[in-house]
Amino acid sequence: MKNRIAVIPGDGIGQEVAQAGVKVLEAISQKKGLNLSFKWFDLGADRYLKTGETLPQPVFDELSTSFDAIYFGAVGDPRVPDMKHAKDILLGLRMRLDLYINLRPVQLYHEELTPLKNKGVSDIDMVIFRENTEDLYVGMGGNFKMNTVDEIAINEMVSTRKGVERIIRAAFDWAVSHGKTRVCMTDKANAISYAHGLWQRVFKEVSKEYPQITPRHVYADALAMELVRAPEDFDVIVASNLLGDILSDLGAQLVGGLGLAASANIHPNRVSLFEPVHGSAPTLAGKNLANPFAMVLTGALMLDFLGYADESKRLEALVKSCIDDKITTTDLGGKLGTQEMADYMVSLVDRFF
Ligand SMILES: NC(=O)c1ccc[n+]([C@@H]2O[C@H](COP(=O)([O-])OP(=O)(O)OC[C@H]3O[C@@H](n4cnc5c(N)ncnc54)[C@H](O)[C@@H]3O)[C@@H](O)[C@H]2O)c1
């Protein structure tokens, strides 16, 4: 089993939710003898403003060779308006570690949390696989005649055969290993014929290797509608970087928003990075108001990746029970602060593990 975890709390509420998340994971580790080890890393706006360092090479080397997973809070600070440190740290880790799978569960824990009418917890239970290293996010392009009436701005959309195939395969593999039967690929091949034509061809080819899975294709604009109309029709969705980015935020809102949305950035068999979807929320920072559920559910994703599938499910059930009992932070209508919420979850560990 893998158990070496690097903790990067980062900025703002990232620091508070990271403390909460680690507290809960430590309690589980102790109860179940998992032997999880945590090493904290001081990376973020404070360090950058003090020393000019964002992600020093020796720290990157240590993160990439000495750990199984990185448990990440959030980065972003109003004192660094160009986001230099956030780009170097978070995007740097995603790109340099080649974390090509961005996995975003869309799981409803209580029917009161969804804005959809007549949909319950069994209707909204899917996972989105977003390609995490290519597409319009590679930063290729430029401006010509900038700030004139003749300005031209270009961003190149990059899709490689290798990149498309590995994310599609990851979606099918995850469906098989998690007992799911449907994988939907979404694109805009009707308009973006070259890049998304490649997605269509590879999806058709790879899906033949998984006869137990029903493959489906839906154009991304239609999928945005379908996710609202009939979310129960989807188990696993696989998409390019841009489309996955947009659709997974739609998904997050279907299940209660940022306080609950977890994500993983994975390269199978390499150190991978687990982070809540939310940012550093500077207006909440330091006030003990942040909801730690997203961070704790991110911890559940990390446990699954580390080989503790049973513990991962139990941790999800623990969070669900807090929501069912309406014992939550204020954003979800409860009364607890971030750290009190963490302590309450720790008090449930004996019951759930
Ligand atoms: N992965 C990341 O590290 C990441 C992701 C998104 C934004 N950011 C950065 O975070 C900073 C703030 O960005 P933003 O305000 O657009 O997004 P945000 O996610 O930090 O906050 C958006 C809204 O959601 C609320 N919110 C977020 N997380 C919450 C939680 N755990 N509990 C309760 N309420 C919560 C906030 O109060 C705010 O109203 C910026 O610097 C941005 O670049 C970082």
Side-chain angles (χ1 to χ4, degrees):
M1 290 297 189
K2 301 186 228 168
N3 56 11
R4 301 165 305 167
I5 298 165
V7 185
I8 303 177
D11 303 327
I13 65 165
Q15 302 193 357
E16 292 158 78
V17 295
Q19 271 173 28
V22 170
K23 205 181 228 186
V24 174
L25 290 172
E26 270 177 339
I28 295 166
S29 175
Q30 221 167 8
K31 174 84 206 282
K32 301 287 287 184
L34 306 186
N35 215 15
L36 300 182
S37 71
F38 298 90
K39 179 170 176 183
W40 293 72
F41 285 82
D42 166 29
L43 297 171
D46 282 343
R47 178 167 179 169
Y48 173 59
L49 290 168
K50 243 183 262 153
T51 66
E53 289 175 330
T54 54
L55 180 59
Q57 188 61 38
V59 177
F60 175 77
D61 293 342
E62 186 183 357
L63 288 170
S64 51
T65 55
S66 304
F67 295 93
D68 301 306
I70 300 170
Y71 195 40
F72 193 97
V75 274
D77 188 302
R79 294 171 299 167
V80 189
D82 66 358
M83 299 281 289
K84 160 82 177 137
H85 73 298
K87 281 182 203 144
D88 284 5
I89 298 169
L90 187 54
L91 301 184
L93 285 169
R94 281 184 193 156
M95 285 291 174
R96 292 166 74 186
L97 294 172
D98 196 25
L99 303 176
Y100 64 90
I101 302 167
N102 185 229
L103 185 157
R104 297 263 304 255
V106 179
Q107 161 90 64
L108 183 63
Y109 290 109
H110 194 287
E111 63 189 30
E112 282 176 15
L113 291 170
T114 184
L116 301 185
K117 261 192 292 183
N118 305 323
K119 299 293 178 193
V121 291
S122 59
D123 294 317
I124 310 180
D125 177 8
M126 68 187 98
V127 171
I128 297 179
F129 277 72
R130 166 186 167 193
E131 202 291 319
N132 215 17
T133 56
E134 301 194 336
D135 202 10
L136 286 159
Y137 293 64
V138 296
M140 287 168 65
N143 295 79
F144 182 52
K145 297 187 180 176
M146 201 170 176
N147 294 326
T148 73
V149 289
D150 297 320
E151 175 162 356
I152 298 171
I154 293 176
N155 275 91
E156 299 287 356
M157 175 181 265
V158 174
S159 288
T160 66
R161 165 79 204 203
K162 175 183 146 195
V164 174
E165 183 171 341
R166 66 183 182 173
I167 187 70
I168 288 175
R169 217 171 263 291
F172 277 100
D173 286 341
W174 191 92
V176 170
S177 65
H178 290 75
K180 303 290 184 185
T181 55
R182 302 170 295 183
V183 174
C184 172
M185 193 279 281
T186 189
D187 61 44
K188 278 293 292 173
N190 45 354
I192 305 170
S193 56
Y194 306 118
H196 288 185
L198 172 65
W199 277 77
Q200 295 233 340
R201 281 181 278 122
V202 175
F203 184 67
K204 271 197 195 113
E205 217 177 285
V206 172
S207 63
K208 290 195 188 113
E209 294 173 32
Y210 297 84
Q212 70 274 52
I213 302 288
T214 308
R216 179 179 176 192
H217 169 261
V218 182
Y219 288 123
D221 43 351
L223 183 59
M225 293 197 283
E226 284 305 292
L227 286 175
V228 174
R229 191 188 67 80
E232 64 276 13
D233 288 351
F234 300 93
D235 287 338
V236 178
I237 291 170
V238 58
S240 63
N241 208 336
L242 177 68
L243 299 179
D245 191 359
I246 297 166
L247 292 167
S248 54
D249 270 20
L250 190 159
Q253 209 50 53
L254 294 182
V255 296
L258 286 174
L260 289 156
S263 83
N265 300 269
I266 295 175
H267 189 127
N269 305 318
R270 285 205 201 156
V271 59
S272 294
L273 186 151
F274 298 81
E275 51 166 341
V277 171
H278 65 72
S280 57
T283 54
L284 295 185
K287 297 180 179 158
N288 197 34
L289 284 174
N291 183 347
F293 284 163
M295 190 72 184
V296 170
L297 291 168
T298 296
L301 285 180
M302 185 168 69
L303 287 176
D304 189 47
F305 171 80
L306 293 172
Y308 304 108
D310 176 58
E311 285 79 4
S312 171
K313 287 208 182 74
R314 287 171 190 270
L315 182 52
E316 261 193 272
L318 186 156
V319 171
K320 182 173 174 2
S321 87
C322 297
I323 296 168
D324 286 343
D325 296 342
K326 301 200 186 313
I327 299 174
T328 68
T329 44
T330 49
D331 57 309
L332 294 182
K335 293 195 175 73
L336 298 188
T338 313
Q339 298 313 321
E340 292 72 31
M341 192 69 243
D343 291 339
Y344 181 71
M345 286 189 271
V346 166
S347 77
L348 295 181
V349 165
D350 270 347
R351 172 139 65 93
F352 281 86
F353 289 85

